[in-house]
Amino acid sequence: MSVCKVYNTSNNALPAYESELAAGMDLRANLSESIVLHPGERKLIPTGLFMELPADCEAQIRPRSGLAMKHGITVLNSPGTIDPDYRGEIKVLLINLSNEPFEIQHGERIAQMVIAKFQQVSLVEVTCAEELSDTQRGAGGFGHSGTR
């Protein structure tokens, strides 16, 4: 298991895996007072967390399914990416897609964070699409493989 240094300026516990095989850790709001997110409104919610990710990892910020289903609250740039060289505070861009205002309290679980390895690649430009290898799927996209 890799190590990730975290500086926590909030009084919330550090994010943790809630089950043995969980992929994500919940992020909590770090607020001095509650915030109301009105229908259609988006706000950047602080977590009070600063981290140093391993050089080959990113942190993906994703919606919590319960907030999305029950209240229409989701992460706007989902998944948001935190690069390993970022040292600022982790903040979560939430949007209210419901017709009702939603109040976010200090310590409330607002998003999931998944740490994932990535690989950088070198791009090599070719002169035409025919230089790309053939596959069974080819250029088919957006529903090409059907629904069943």
Side-chain angles (χ1 to χ4, degrees):
M1 181 178 290
S2 296
V3 172
C4 180
K5 295 179 186 176
V6 179
Y7 175 52
N8 185 0
T9 63
S10 77
N11 63 358
N12 297 319
L14 287 180
Y17 297 104
E18 298 296 328
S19 70
E20 183 181 353
L21 298 177
M25 299 176 263
D26 288 334
L27 294 175
R28 296 179 182 271
N30 182 38
L31 305 171
S32 56
E33 58 186 44
S34 65
I35 292 176
V36 175
L37 200 55
H38 295 282
E41 188 175 30
R42 62 188 181 270
K43 288 189 179 174
L44 203 53
I45 310 300
T47 66
L49 300 173
F50 300 73
M51 51 194 312
E52 181 181 326
L53 291 160
D56 61 348
C57 291
E58 66 166 324
Q60 298 174 359
I61 309 304
R62 302 175 179 185
R64 292 194 67 239
S65 57
L67 279 180
M69 176 63 191
K70 295 175 187 172
H71 303 287
I73 306 300
T74 192
V75 176
L76 189 55
N77 60 323
S78 180
T81 296
I82 299 172
D83 295 309
D85 57 351
Y86 177 68
R87 295 294 184 268
E89 181 179 7
I90 296 171
K91 296 181 181 180
V92 179
L93 182 57
L94 293 181
I95 187 167
N96 183 349
L97 298 177
S98 78
N99 296 321
E100 302 292 327
F102 181 77
E103 187 173 3
I104 302 166
Q105 304 283 339
H106 173 74
E108 187 162 356
R109 296 180 297 163
I110 56 170
Q112 289 188 70
M113 177 173 64
V114 174
I115 307 299
K117 286 190 175 279
F118 69 87
Q119 178 180 345
Q120 289 187 337
V121 298
S122 296
L123 298 180
V124 176
E125 189 171 4
V126 295
T127 58
C128 63
E130 286 73 26
E131 290 187 57
L132 305 175
S133 65
D134 288 330
T135 66
Q136 183 178 355
R137 181 176 181 174
F142 292 106
H144 175 75
S145 61
T147 58
R148 296 181 196 252

